[in-house]
């Protein structure tokens, strides 16, 4: 791989993206001021517990079963605040629009974004638009920054994770990645797979009262496997994923057919939480009681004895899940 | 003009951009929640006086005499907070990088961005990167959101403007637009024109103690003429620009040669302020005492009797400055 030029793999949520961020962005901006491991970071304003996060969106196609780039921008940004234990309040919106883009489609997307913001309860308080020449953009890119306040309760953090803690997930994985892939039609396939894009706020707020809550993350780009690798890197503890990880049958079928692995595919409405072993059942039960949480499940555990991400198969075997390298699906979010 | 598709003129800071924002973004997001007339807007967090603003950057070339897209992103965003009477504290950064982009150039630009952030005194607290396919991006686009706190003193606002108030500017106009245009080399011209991109914080803070301060704006996309039109639209008062508007000789020469009008070209380190007539001399003197403020000048007045933007010429004539329509220079900021 030519390491003097940016490749698609620099954007996939895996190893090359991490290395680019560390070698260029963190090096110049300073580890002390930009926390690349956090979904949202506190900013010090008059002693308030204000959190901030930011996200870019380039999903292609711009509209897909279960959402569009507008609803995705709201969910993606507010979910990052939610998993950090904050309630989202305000958003800013940047739109990069390519010359020739249909105004009607722009209108539909902004309407969807606005409706989603109302549903989630956030106010879009500032915005900016830029138009680039035909051929210099991919139709429409959005960038959103979210501001929220930290909620009372346990403050989830990678530093709280201990050996023996349990991983739980709020629903099936890989739906968003598969739905977007199918919507591209490049494969001649059309399934009944719908993106899981949704707010995770009910799920994250349900756990803030648990003193055994360690950490939460929404497994977007790079999927569940990349969340597991992030935990491994931050804590030095291995992660064992059990055969209980919920995957919808049509998602698994599409992945089998096309050679994708659902563990690396993006979700946009799921949470992975790490909780103390003795509170795992309680946490899963709380999630299952929430609308859309019927597939919530215990899916693994922190394994201090290994320094790998290990997938246990239903037949009793094991395989390593490596850190993502090549980009399986560019412009997925 | 085909009004079903986005054109470059939808991004130029003039009439079509305003109409697009009103007809699509404001219509869906609600006039009450997104203030398109403000450079930065207050957000309500624990009663604090927190201000927020956001900006996208697409300048081409990415590096130009006097700056680059990285320093421009910091200045553009922090200047928007400054003219709203706030001190910038935190920034978030989104980068949209095109596949094939040179890592070395990315590194230079991020280093420049980081240095500029340190110089201005803001912390980059969150970031995100996305990579798009070759041909789906223009090399590098940035989006930055700035958060700051309102400073004590007069709160500048369009609603404070009265008939007879005076317009002042902190320096020469059109330098940024002309420097970027020349850096494209498409015209076979190379001048000694350098972008004015810089922080305006010393200039804005110098006026907050004046009770006659009405309003401040940094004349970026669309230039001084667009600021004047914004005042006209918001207040119903005409704006008369006097022959004292400072324009550097090489900027004027390039504009004359190529048929551009410096009144419509972007500045990235200037402030236009509206002040009460009796405090105008004091305000200009304060600016002239600041480093880089030597060209600060009184440049016009609010004229309630007219509903036009009028340019008075040095020979005693007058001409109307219309609202910008076609985009003279796409990707200027």
């Amino acid at each position: 791989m030519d390491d003097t030029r940016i490749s698609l793999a620099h954007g996939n949520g895996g190893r090359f993206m991490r290395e680019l961020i560390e070698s260029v962005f963190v090096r110049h901006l300073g580890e002390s001021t930009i926390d690349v491991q956090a979904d949202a970071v506190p900013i010090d304003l008059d002693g308030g517990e204000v959190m901030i996060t930011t996200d870019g969106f380039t999903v292609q196609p711009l509209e897909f079963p279960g959402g569009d780039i507008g609803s995705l921008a709201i969910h993606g940004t507010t979910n990052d605040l939610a998993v950090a234990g904050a309630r989202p309040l305000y958003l800013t919106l940047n739109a990069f629009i390519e010359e020739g883009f249909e105004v009607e489609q722009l209108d539909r997307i902004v309407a969807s974004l606005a409706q989603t913001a109302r549903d989630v309860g956030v106010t879009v308080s500032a915005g900016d638009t830029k138009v680039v020449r035909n051929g210099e953009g991919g139709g429409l890119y959005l960038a959103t920054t979210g501001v929220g306040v930290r909620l009372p309760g346990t403050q989830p953090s990678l530093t709280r994770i201990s050996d023996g803690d349990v991983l739980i997930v709020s629903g099936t994985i890989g739906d968003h990645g598969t739905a977007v892939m199918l919507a591209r039609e490049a494969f001649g396939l059309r399934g009944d797979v719908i993106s899981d894009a949704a707010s995770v706020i009910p799920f994250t707020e349900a756990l803030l009262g648990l003193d055994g809550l360690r950490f939460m993350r929404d497994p977007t780009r790079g999927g569940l496997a990349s969340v597991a690798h992030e935990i491994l890197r931050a804590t030095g503890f291995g992660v064992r994923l059990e055969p209980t990880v919920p995957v919808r049958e049509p998602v698994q079928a599409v992945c089998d057919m096309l050679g994708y692995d659902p563990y690396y595919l993006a979700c946009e409405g799921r949470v992975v939480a790490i909780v103390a072993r003795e509170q795992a059942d309680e946490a899963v039960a709380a999630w299952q009681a929430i609308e859309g949480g019927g597939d919530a499940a215990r899916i693994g555990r922190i394994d201090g004895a290994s320094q790998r991400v290990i997938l246990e198969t239903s037949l009793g075997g094991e395989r390593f899940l490596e850190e993502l390298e090549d980009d399986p699906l560019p412009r997925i979010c």
Side-chain angles (χ1 to χ4, degrees), chain A:
Chain A
M1 184 173 133
D2 174 4
D3 64 359
T4 67
R5 291 186 179 274
I6 296 296
S7 72
L8 289 172
H10 282 115
N12 68 1
R15 181 162 74 88
F16 294 119
M17 177 172 129
R18 175 172 58 78
E19 289 175 354
L20 175 74
I21 289 172
E22 287 167 357
S23 67
V24 176
F25 289 89
V26 174
R27 186 163 61 83
H28 292 303
L29 293 167
E31 184 98 56
S32 60
T33 64
I34 188 160
D35 184 346
V36 295
Q37 290 184 334
D39 275 303
V41 296
I43 56 177
D44 184 13
L45 289 168
D46 281 335
E49 294 281 279
V50 178
M51 309 280 290
I52 196 163
T53 187
T54 197
D55 249 320
F57 297 90
T58 64
V59 67
Q60 184 63 27
L62 298 169
E63 297 169 290
F64 49 81
D68 55 66
I69 192 171
S71 59
L72 193 63
I74 300 293
H75 288 314
T77 306
T78 55
N79 286 350
D80 280 350
L81 287 165
V83 296
R87 175 163 298 160
L89 294 175
Y90 298 97
L91 250 89
T92 66
L93 170 66
N94 278 277
F96 295 90
I97 315 170
E98 188 180 11
E99 181 188 16
F101 193 73
E102 276 189 13
V103 173
E104 193 180 321
Q105 189 177 18
L106 181 66
D107 190 75
R108 262 198 323 271
I109 288 168
V110 176
S112 165
L113 182 148
Q115 184 59 50
T116 309
R118 281 189 292 271
D119 293 345
V120 175
V122 292
T123 299
V124 179
S125 7
D128 188 50
T129 59
K130 287 288 182 295
V131 177
V132 296
R133 275 186 220 271
N134 191 281
E136 294 180 345
L140 178 67
Y141 301 140
L142 300 179
T144 43
T145 290
V147 178
V149 290
R150 208 199 291 270
L151 291 166
T154 304
Q155 293 187 1
S157 160
L158 280 165
T159 62
R160 290 172 52 83
I161 295 174
S162 302
D163 192 11
D165 286 346
V166 166
L167 278 79
I168 66 175
V169 71
S170 64
T172 54
I173 63 163
D175 298 64
H176 176 75
T178 310
V180 169
M181 179 168 62
L182 291 177
R184 286 180 193 165
E185 298 182 297
F187 304 103
L189 284 170
R190 274 287 186 179
D192 54 354
V193 181
I194 292 172
S195 168
D196 56 283
S199 175
V200 301
I201 295 174
F203 295 93
T204 56
E205 295 197 357
L207 298 197
L208 293 180
L210 286 186
D211 57 8
L213 171 65
R214 312 298 199 205
F215 174 68
M216 295 189 284
R217 168 98 357 147
D218 50 333
T220 56
R221 247 187 315 181
L224 176 60
S226 296
V227 173
H229 271 281
E230 195 172 6
I231 293 167
L232 166 60
R233 238 180 6 262
T235 65
F237 297 144
V239 176
R240 297 189 79 92
L241 296 174
E242 298 162 357
T244 48
V245 177
V247 181
R248 266 190 228 291
E249 195 279 324
V251 168
Q252 189 64 60
V254 169
C255 285
D256 288 346
M257 200 176 321
L258 298 174
Y260 287 98
D261 188 334
Y263 295 91
Y264 293 93
L265 295 187
C267 308
E268 290 289 347
R270 306 297 185 215
V271 196
V272 173
I274 317 290
V275 290
R277 195 178 40 205
E278 58 278 14
Q279 291 190 324
D281 290 345
E282 183 183 344
V284 170
W287 277 2
Q288 286 179 337
I290 295 168
E291 191 186 335
D295 293 315
R298 170 191 163 124
I299 57 164
R301 59 198 186 276
I302 302 297
D303 175 15
S306 84
Q307 276 85 46
R308 303 297 294 257
V309 175
I310 297 165
L311 179 65
E312 301 179 347
T313 69
S314 50
L315 300 175
E318 291 187 350
R319 69 177 170 101
F320 296 136
L321 289 182
E322 301 299 336
E323 192 175 4
L324 183 62
E325 295 201 339
D326 282 338
D327 194 351
L329 285 172
R331 293 189 64 181
I332 204 70
C333 61

